[in-house]
Amino acid sequence: MEHDITIKQVTTGKAKPDYNHLSFGKYFTDHMFVMDYNEEDGWFDARITPYEPLLMDPSSLMFHYGQSVFEGLKAYTSQKGGIQLFRPEKNFNRMNISSDRMNIPEVDPDFLVDALKQLLHIDRDWIPVEERQSLYIRPFIIATEPALSVKPASQYKLMIILSPVGSYYAQSDQMSPVSIYVEDEYVRSVKGLVGFTKTAGNYAASLKVQQKAEDLGYDQVLWLDAIEKKYIEEVGSMNIFFKINGEIITPALNGSILDGITRDSVIELLRYWGWNVHERRISIDEVKQAHTDGVLEEVFGTGTAAVISPVGRLKWKDEELVINDNQTGPVSYDLYDTITGIQTGATDDILGWTVPLQEQET
Amino acid sequence: MEHDITIKQVTTGKAKPDYNHLSFGKYFTDHMFVMDYNEEDGWFDARITPYEPLLMDPSSLMFHYGQSVFEGLKAYTSQKGGIQLFRPEKNFNRMNISSDRMNIPEVDPDFLVDALKQLLHIDRDWIPVEERQSLYIRPFIIATEPALSVKPASQYKLMIILSPVGSYYAQSDQMSPVSIYVEDEYVRSVKGLVGFTKTAGNYAASLKVQQKAEDLGYDQVLWLDAIEKKYIEEVGSMNIFFKINGEIITPALNGSILDGITRDSVIELLRYWGWNVHERRISIDEVKQAHTDGVLEEVFGTGTAAVISPVGRLKWKDEELVINDNQTGPVSYDLYDTITGIQTGATDDILGWTVPLQEQET
Ligand SMILES: Cc1ncc(COP(=O)(O)O)c(C=O)c1O
Ligand SMILES: Cc1ncc(COP(=O)(O)O)c(C=O)c1O
């Protein structure tokens, strides 16, 4: 797939928000990338335009049947100078995996990495320079065909929008453990459904339970499998890891959880460091038993937003397991430090994960 | 909830499509109903406007996390004169049930029935008069807040759009049995998820399997339960009924299937006629056994689009069960005839299901 990207820039950029008070995904840069699809032309009209509202027919299939996929990744100002991305090809490959399940036509990942670089270049002065700040990148595809029949759309729109984001943690140099509520009534997905994809409907279905967790005083939800209500799946937008008796365990990719890119990076890094990492089924009972036995040493979530999110408290039925005295453990800390270090150029990119944004002419 | 509805009409209406060649949900009338929601005002600015595209921010939550609900019902020209609706309050009540699960603020059903009547009155010359044609009504709510955080939106848009539709069957006076593929790998939903709601994501997830069924030469998919892959759930957009040895069986409402309004009407009508109707679990093995024993007398789907859809062939693993010689059975036929008769005023409304559109000033 080869496309020319036409570029239409704003004449005057928007005022930038206060970078010390960025909430997640609230402010958007001056430009966006857009590309359309129809059956005749395939993907066409790749363009960078001012960030602006879309005109959507009320019957657009997305509004009714939710056919869509999305991704989330970040661009960082490197301490060595320049801008860099973290494993962007993984995101665009995963987008195709999601698209395949959702009947959406695939897109050449290399082309999208290139389009993204061009977009970033144009909006480069939006990319935060402060440590722990970054530019969040949201590629997504929606079904735009105006029609009410339940069928794969014949028209789509792919967009990439950009949003400067602050540190996930209030004090940027300190990770604060989160509290997690283990849900045992509602479920997130099941084998044979679309849990392994990043599609809109997965997230809509989770809102009620996220609210329930917050009402009960917990930060996030840990999902169990839908069939036995026993095996650990993942958190709202994180995969989860357990350090038990000196070994690391994370749920295997089973068709219902997301193949997280941070999860993959953590596994690779831990193995590089010499840890035993097991990708397998792990039940909530096993976690509880480990806690009782005093060998549940660390629990942490992994995801693009927080990178590493130590879990300090785990609520399961009537019990609350406090982990590592509700403090960030050493493995969580080392992972966070190393991965964010690689992302921001403070640490050597020992595993070849970063992709620099080449300087180019506008 | 009391709202004034402001009305802005088109000066000249669109040209109408050829009513003998209407595909489903392809043409829309001149007007639509719109209402917005924000946290301060609740639902506000109820209005009837020309049918026109929406301006949506690319970060609108609907595009990313799919928070939405929808409904589907029909208006009919009565053979006794005037326009009538079929149990519309049931649709708006069900929309609230869906909304509750999807964290969407509820809307007064009576107000919506009234708003719908006003809209229909304005677009009344779009309502088909031919037998078996009708005006399909699509109410829906989407999350419009521009934000990328996964949370219930603080802004929504509710719309009602209208589309004239032809008969579901090619020859309008003849029901043709459909062929159905029983899926045993992919699933539609599971208890604890959102299968009982009409939310966009349920339909997006089903597209791949619908395609698979069509590729194998079948019209539609019959879903089995996600846990034991054994119990019958429902069809793509229909509930399902079996007539076995003189009794009628339909899967019970179990949290993962939709509480269909046609299903409810069929149960009520069959009981009124004196049939034994059982709402219970029914396995695919039981259906197969009944076929082997020669007592699988009829199978039919129920839904707003087709009303009654007789099933002639059922493909399950390596076997194909042919039902009633691939002919429409007498119960399917009587149900279709009576319900469509009630809907179109050809038959007395013995169960009090229709709601007339009062004549009113424009
Ligand atoms: C459901 C879910 N699980 C896990 C993750 C973590 O994936 P990643 O590390 O690629 O951000 C995310 C966020 O992307 C997610 O949405
Ligand atoms: C999944 C599903 N099941 C069943 C039905 C039938 O419901 P109703 O009879 O209310 O149209 C529909 C269509 O509305 C549906 O989408």
Side-chain angles (χ1 to χ4, degrees):
Chain A
M1 239 183 298
E2 268 301 315
H3 306 271
D4 285 333
I5 299 177
T6 57
I7 295 174
K8 187 179 145 206
Q9 284 191 237
V10 296
T11 36
T12 334
K14 290 181 274 204
K16 299 213 171 43
D18 176 358
Y19 273 42
N20 294 316
H21 297 93
L22 295 168
S23 6
F24 180 78
K26 190 163 163 195
Y27 304 101
F28 296 92
T29 65
D30 286 325
H31 299 88
M32 61 187 186
F33 173 79
V34 190
M35 184 161 67
D36 291 299
Y37 178 93
N38 68 29
E39 283 177 338
E40 216 168 65
D41 305 308
W43 289 108
F44 71 102
D45 198 8
R47 57 202 187 270
I48 290 170
T49 71
Y51 184 95
E52 64 194 4
L54 308 176
L55 267 182
M56 298 276 294
D57 193 277
S59 71
S60 299
L61 280 171
M62 177 61 196
F63 295 148
H64 303 274
Y65 309 127
Q67 198 193 0
S68 62
V69 294
F70 72 91
E71 271 301 328
L73 66 161
K74 287 177 174 175
Y76 309 84
T77 301
S78 171
Q79 293 182 26
K80 297 184 179 124
I83 306 299
Q84 59 186 23
L85 292 161
F86 186 74
R87 313 184 83 186
E89 71 291 349
K90 281 224 153 236
N91 289 92
F92 292 116
N93 283 327
R94 187 171 66 186
M95 190 157 81
N96 277 340
I97 290 169
S98 298
S99 287
D100 177 63
R101 178 63 179 83
M102 304 311 294
N103 275 66
I104 292 174
E106 66 168 25
V107 191
D108 178 5
D110 294 336
F111 169 71
L112 287 181
V113 171
D114 185 58
L116 172 59
K117 285 181 178 175
Q118 291 194 43
L119 177 63
L120 288 171
H121 181 71
I122 289 172
D123 276 343
R124 62 193 175 280
D125 58 339
W126 281 84
I127 305 176
V129 292
E130 293 288 319
E131 219 187 329
R132 310 293 185 227
Q133 296 180 348
S134 57
L135 189 73
Y136 183 78
I137 300 162
R138 168 57 58 90
F140 64 105
I141 304 177
I142 52 175
T144 50
E145 184 188 350
L148 293 186
S149 37
V150 181
K151 58 160 193 190
S154 62
Q155 295 163 34
Y156 299 87
K157 202 177 269 299
L158 180 155
M159 308 184 70
I160 303 177
I161 58 177
L162 308 173
S163 173
V165 294
S167 168
Y168 189 81
Y169 299 104
Q171 286 160 285
S172 66
D173 57 340
Q174 217 177 301
M175 300 164 77
S176 28
V178 294
S179 61
I180 287 205
Y181 175 76
V182 184
E183 172 61 26
D184 64 349
E185 180 192 351
Y186 294 102
V187 299
R188 181 184 177 276
S189 192
V190 67
K191 191 163 187 303
L193 242 171
V194 296
F196 67 98
T197 72
K198 282 186 88 79
T199 189
N202 285 337
Y203 298 82
S206 76
L207 296 173
K208 197 179 181 79
V209 186
Q210 175 62 26
Q211 194 100 74
K212 174 176 164 186
E214 285 171 26
D215 290 347
L216 292 167
Y218 293 86
D219 298 319
Q220 297 198 44
V221 176
L222 178 63
W223 299 99
L224 299 182
D225 80 282
I227 295 181
E228 301 188 50
K229 298 273 176 64
K230 187 170 151 180
Y231 296 103
I232 285 164
E233 297 261 312
E234 62 185 327
V235 181
S237 50
M238 296 196 292
N239 296 105
I240 192 151
F241 286 74
F242 300 87
K243 177 165 174 268
I244 296 178
N245 211 2
E247 307 216 321
I248 314 281
I249 302 157
T250 192
L253 302 177
N254 59 358
S256 63
I257 70 170
L258 191 76
D259 182 359
I261 292 160
T262 320
R263 174 187 182 278
D264 183 84
S265 308
V266 160
I267 293 171
E268 234 187 279
L269 191 57
L270 286 170
R271 287 186 177 148
Y272 178 86
W273 284 341
W275 291 93
N276 262 330
V277 185
H278 306 277
E279 299 178 66
R280 63 162 168 88
R281 287 216 297 198
I282 173 166
S283 71
I284 185 71
D285 295 322
E286 178 178 347
V287 172
K288 215 185 92 180
Q289 190 59 49
H291 186 262
T292 307
D293 298 346
V295 291
L296 181 62
E297 294 148 355
E298 289 186 47
V299 180
F300 55 90
T302 66
T304 295
V307 186
I308 302 294
S309 190
V311 177
R313 297 184 292 130
L314 205 58
K315 172 79 172 174
W316 164 236
K317 301 212 185 217
D318 291 336
E319 278 183 272
E320 189 181 79
L321 315 184
V322 176
I323 299 138
N324 193 40
D325 264 339
N326 201 14
Q327 300 297 314
T328 301
V331 175
S332 304
Y333 188 80
D334 285 352
L335 284 168
Y336 181 73
D337 210 47
T338 306
I339 296 175
T340 58
I342 291 171
Q343 287 167 337
T344 58
T347 305
D348 278 347
D349 182 8
I350 39 175
L351 292 158
W353 284 335
T354 60
V355 174
L357 189 71
Q358 308 299 358
E359 278 313 309
Q360 54 189 138
E361 302 296 315
T362 311
Chain B
M1 240 184 296
E2 269 300 314
H3 306 271
D4 285 332
I5 299 176
T6 57
I7 295 173
K8 187 178 145 208
Q9 284 190 238
V10 296
T11 36
T12 335
K14 290 181 272 204
K16 300 213 170 43
D18 176 358
Y19 273 43
N20 293 316
H21 297 92
L22 296 168
S23 8
F24 180 77
K26 191 162 165 197
Y27 303 101
F28 297 91
T29 65
D30 286 325
H31 298 89
M32 60 187 187
F33 174 79
V34 190
M35 185 161 68
D36 291 299
Y37 178 93
N38 68 30
E39 282 176 337
E40 216 169 66
D41 304 309
W43 288 108
F44 71 101
D45 198 9
R47 58 203 187 270
I48 289 170
T49 71
Y51 185 95
E52 64 193 5
L54 308 176
L55 265 182
M56 299 275 296
D57 193 277
S59 71
S60 298
L61 280 171
M62 177 60 197
F63 295 147
H64 303 273
Y65 309 127
Q67 197 192 1
S68 62
V69 294
F70 72 91
E71 272 301 330
L73 66 161
K74 287 178 175 176
Y76 309 84
T77 301
S78 170
Q79 293 182 27
K80 298 187 178 122
I83 305 298
Q84 60 186 22
L85 292 160
F86 186 73
R87 312 184 84 185
E89 71 292 347
K90 281 224 152 233
N91 289 93
F92 292 116
N93 283 327
R94 186 171 66 185
M95 189 157 82
N96 276 340
I97 291 170
S98 297
S99 287
D100 177 64
R101 179 62 179 85
M102 304 311 293
N103 274 67
I104 292 175
E106 67 168 25
V107 191
D108 178 4
D110 295 334
F111 169 71
L112 288 181
V113 171
D114 185 58
L116 171 59
K117 285 181 179 175
Q118 291 194 43
L119 177 63
L120 288 172
H121 181 71
I122 289 172
D123 276 343
R124 62 193 174 279
D125 58 338
W126 281 85
I127 305 176
V129 292
E130 293 289 318
E131 218 187 329
R132 310 293 185 229
Q133 296 180 348
S134 58
L135 189 74
Y136 183 77
I137 299 162
R138 169 55 58 90
F140 63 105
I141 304 178
I142 53 175
T144 50
E145 184 187 350
L148 293 185
S149 36
V150 182
K151 58 161 193 189
S154 64
Q155 295 162 35
Y156 300 87
K157 202 177 271 297
L158 180 154
M159 308 185 69
I160 303 177
I161 58 178
L162 308 174
S163 174
V165 294
S167 169
Y168 189 81
Y169 299 104
Q171 286 161 284
S172 65
D173 56 341
Q174 215 178 303
M175 301 164 75
S176 30
V178 295
S179 62
I180 287 205
Y181 176 76
V182 184
E183 171 61 27
D184 64 349
E185 180 192 350
Y186 295 102
V187 298
R188 182 184 177 274
S189 191
V190 66
K191 192 163 187 301
L193 243 172
V194 296
F196 67 98
T197 72
K198 280 186 89 77
T199 189
N202 285 337
Y203 299 82
S206 75
L207 296 173
K208 197 180 181 79
V209 186
Q210 175 62 26
Q211 194 100 74
K212 175 177 164 187
E214 286 171 26
D215 290 347
L216 292 167
Y218 294 86
D219 298 318
Q220 298 199 42
V221 177
L222 178 64
W223 299 100
L224 298 181
D225 80 283
I227 295 181
E228 302 188 49
K229 297 273 176 64
K230 187 171 153 179
Y231 296 104
I232 285 165
E233 298 260 311
E234 62 185 326
V235 181
S237 50
M238 297 196 291
N239 296 104
I240 192 151
F241 286 74
F242 301 87
K243 177 163 174 270
I244 296 179
N245 211 1
E247 306 216 321
I248 314 280
I249 303 159
T250 191
L253 302 177
N254 59 359
S256 63
I257 69 170
L258 191 75
D259 182 358
I261 292 160
T262 319
R263 174 187 182 278
D264 183 83
S265 308
V266 160
I267 292 172
E268 234 187 278
L269 191 56
L270 286 170
R271 287 187 176 148
Y272 177 85
W273 284 340
W275 290 93
N276 263 329
V277 184
H278 306 277
E279 298 179 65
R280 64 160 168 88
R281 288 215 296 199
I282 173 166
S283 70
I284 185 71
D285 295 321
E286 179 178 349
V287 172
K288 215 185 91 180
Q289 190 60 48
H291 186 262
T292 308
D293 297 346
V295 291
L296 182 60
E297 294 147 355
E298 291 187 45
V299 180
F300 55 89
T302 67
T304 295
V307 187
I308 302 295
S309 190
V311 177
R313 297 184 293 130
L314 205 58
K315 171 80 173 172
W316 163 237
K317 301 214 186 217
D318 291 336
E319 276 182 273
E320 190 181 78
L321 316 184
V322 176
I323 299 138
N324 194 39
D325 264 340
N326 201 14
Q327 301 298 314
T328 300
V331 175
S332 304
Y333 187 79
D334 285 352
L335 285 167
Y336 181 72
D337 208 48
T338 306
I339 296 176
T340 58
I342 291 171
Q343 287 168 338
T344 59
T347 305
D348 277 348
D349 183 7
I350 39 176
L351 291 158
W353 283 335
T354 61
V355 173
L357 189 71
Q358 307 299 357
E359 278 312 309
Q360 54 188 139
E361 302 293 317
T362 312

